[in-house]
Amino acid sequence: MNKLSSDERLPLYQRLRDSLAQQIANNRWRPGEAIPTEAALSAEYCLSTGTVRKAIDLLVSDNILERQQGRGTFIRRAQFQSSLFRFFRFQTEAGERRVPESRILSVEPVVAPSSVAQALGLAAGAPVIRMVRLRLLDGQPVLAEEIWLPRARFQALLELDLDTQGPLLYPIYEDACGQVVACAQESLTAETVNDVYGRLLQIPVGSAVVVIERLALNYAGEPLEWRRSRGHASHFRYSVEIR
Amino acid sequence: MNKLSSDERLPLYQRLRDSLAQQIANNRWRPGEAIPTEAALSAEYCLSTGTVRKAIDLLVSDNILERQQGRGTFIRRAQFQSSLFRFFRFQTEAGERRVPESRILSVEPVVAPSSVAQALGLAAGAPVIRMVRLRLLDGQPVLAEEIWLPRARFQALLELDLDTQGPLLYPIYEDACGQVVACAQESLTAETVNDVYGRLLQIPVGSAVVVIERLALNYAGEPLEWRRSRGHASHFRYSVEIR
DNA sequence: CAGTGGTCTAGACCACCTA
DNA sequence: AGGTGGTCTAGACCACTGT
């Protein structure tokens, strides 16, 4: 006999959606846990199953819930899975996805070049951290990354032994610096590789590489990280649907 | 008392969706025209309104139909604005968008190479039309396109003087061949340009070019056109938002 | 087996548009 | 006023999952 609190003019399925989203935000259920069954919800809120289903449909299409026939409806595990997979086909012959290893080549405190400062919304010459990283599959370099971070937020990284960490940076940002990446803007182009990156990627100078520039933001929309990645074009394929 | 022809194991709303998509592809209704009301469809197919609504929901979320409360449900006008703009920055200094001119270099009936046949869903060696086209801005080549069409659908193109037509192919497909492009899948990569395309694009052999492969489909999801376009990487930039 | 989500029905009533 | 899509009900039966 629960009550729907939000605006009475909204349809019931919308109000139920809002109520459930609120409870999810308040951790009534943990990620991976099941919410009550559709029957239980329709009893709790005195709604028909059709209305409950429509509310759940919305949360599923929002990527907040996940249905599993015969088992239940679950809170989606928050998985900021690297967008790499959308761009590079780092896969075995069998087509299974793999996270490339990470080899950090340098981490140094520097002052921001003007282009980087502008991307990160800092004053020119502001203190930043510059990191160069190589991603490898089976020992073969596939991606070379240049990463820039505002030092004010990421000072702790300089005192950390990054080699002992996993291959993903964003969990480290979260654990060591309390900085949570919520979303990112990426921008894609191609170029022929120069000698520096040719050597890093172990490909001939003049090969075609794809260049990905990414600005990562926190939930408040503030820039956290700017990176430029280069990878051999033969590892690269990006697909879109157009309507 | 219409019959749903497709696979009996599929849910009714799926089969109705397919049936409607087929009729839309066959021009039973013109773009902008209304389809029968939900009540009429549920009578015609002997389905409840809930099932009909669900089928229409799918077509709406596919961007094929458009609901207007109190008025009806309408075939969406295909605004199919060339996706070129999303990928290539063909713009004046002022930032205004321009459609590049089209220069058709060849149109010839050939048999399909196996890769093309596979993309178009044809048997290997099936009759197709191969077209080579150059897109130019201010007389400068910016994009070289290789276009493959199933001859069964596009025979009429061979008897047409394409030079007298506009720079966009899809309106020609529609007017001359009755083939309506509803959506497309594009896939993007990069390579260093060979001598043939280097000469076409008037750029040095070995420059980085972006390669776009596109499969265009009609409303029934049947392949209509496969094309591969190459353009100089410096004209190319693609942006994405990642949640 | 019992319990879950997935499909489907045959309505009712409402909000909105056109005339 | 009459017709449209939008919301909602109170069920039924099915397909799938776990024990």
Side-chain angles (χ1 to χ4, degrees), chain A residues 35-140:
Chain A
I35 64 169
T37 68
E38 298 180 351
L41 287 171
S42 61
E44 183 180 348
Y45 288 91
C46 300
L47 295 172
S48 79
T49 62
T51 304
V52 171
R53 276 190 70 79
K54 187 145 186 179
I56 294 178
D57 282 344
L58 292 178
L59 290 166
V60 168
S61 72
D62 284 348
N63 265 313
I64 293 176
L65 294 179
E66 190 175 4
R67 286 206 163 93
Q68 289 186 37
Q69 174 161 171
R71 304 220 313 128
T73 302
F74 301 83
I75 310 288
R76 264 188 81 118
R77 297 181 179 286
Q79 26 133 37
F80 190 89
Q81 74 186 17
S82 164
S83 68
L84 276 182
F85 294 127
R86 293 175 49 188
F87 297 137
F88 284 83
R89 38 179 150 108
F90 297 140
Q91 306 180 348
T92 59
E93 318 275 288
E96 112 196 64
R97 290 171 160 187
R98 302 171 58 188
V99 175
E101 315 150 50
S102 164
R103 183 180 305 161
I104 290 172
L105 303 181
S106 71
V107 184
E108 38 177 7
V110 295
V111 298
S114 66
S115 65
V116 171
Q118 192 176 354
L120 288 173
L122 303 173
V128 294
I129 297 172
R130 177 175 189 268
M131 198 184 316
V132 177
R133 189 165 77 133
L134 207 56
R135 310 295 297 270
L136 309 97
L137 273 183
D138 305 320
Q140 285 292 107

Side-chain angles (χ1 to χ4, degrees), chain B:
Chain B
M1 280 295 184
N2 209 317
K3 253 195 188 168
L4 292 171
S5 51
S6 63
D7 192 335
E8 279 189 17
R9 296 164 304 182
L10 291 173
L12 292 174
Y13 69 86
Q14 276 282 4
R15 295 164 64 196
L16 176 55
R17 190 217 93 98
D18 293 345
S19 168
L20 291 174
Q22 189 65 54
Q23 294 176 66
I24 291 168
N26 293 342
N27 288 315
R28 172 167 169 191
W29 311 283
R30 304 295 309 170
E33 201 178 334
I35 63 169
T37 68
E38 298 180 352
L41 287 171
S42 61
E44 182 178 350
Y45 287 92
C46 300
L47 295 172
S48 78
T49 62
T51 304
V52 170
R53 276 191 70 80
K54 188 147 184 176
I56 293 177
D57 282 343
L58 291 179
L59 291 166
V60 168
S61 72
D62 283 348
N63 264 312
I64 293 175
L65 295 180
E66 192 174 3
R67 288 206 161 95
Q68 289 185 38
Q69 174 161 174
R71 302 219 316 127
T73 303
F74 301 82
I75 310 288
R76 261 189 81 118
R77 297 184 176 285
Q79 77 282 357
F80 203 84
Q81 75 216 7
S82 167
S83 69
L84 275 182
F85 295 127
R86 293 176 50 189
F87 297 137
F88 285 83
R89 37 182 152 104
F90 297 141
Q91 307 180 347
T92 59
E93 320 273 290
E96 119 196 57
R97 290 171 161 189
R98 302 171 56 189
V99 176
E101 313 151 49
S102 163
R103 184 181 306 159
I104 290 172
L105 304 181
S106 70
V107 184
E108 40 177 4
V110 295
V111 298
S114 64
S115 65
V116 172
Q118 193 176 353
L120 288 173
L122 303 172
V128 293
I129 296 171
R130 176 174 188 269
M131 198 184 314
V132 177
R133 189 164 79 131
L134 207 55
R135 309 295 295 271
L136 309 96
L137 272 184
D138 303 321
Q140 283 293 106
V142 288
L143 202 60
E145 302 176 315
E146 186 183 22
I147 299 169
W148 302 81
L149 304 162
R151 216 186 299 165
R153 295 181 188 272
F154 290 93
Q155 188 72 42
L157 272 193
L158 293 171
E159 290 124 34
L160 205 65
D161 182 7
L162 290 168
D163 291 330
T164 62
Q165 312 285 326
L168 297 176
L169 282 178
Y170 292 170
I172 303 177
Y173 293 170
E174 206 165 330
D175 295 345
C177 312
Q179 302 295 329
V180 180
V181 171
C183 64
Q185 297 155 4
E186 293 199 337
S187 165
L188 257 161
T189 184
E191 65 182 27
T192 52
V193 76
N194 65 17
D195 54 348
V196 172
Y197 281 97
R199 207 175 307 123
L200 279 178
L201 292 168
Q202 296 177 21
I203 57 178
V205 172
S207 303
V209 289
V210 168
V211 184
I212 303 174
E213 290 173 4
R214 177 195 293 177
L215 183 67
L217 310 166
N218 65 15
Y219 282 115
E222 297 157 343
L224 292 186
E225 174 207 62
W226 188 81
R227 65 165 81 177
R228 175 152 40 198
S229 311
R230 290 176 171 86
H232 196 280
S234 66
H235 286 128
F236 173 91
R237 178 162 293 269
Y238 178 62
S239 296
V240 227
E241 285 251 344
I242 301 161
R243 96 187 69 87

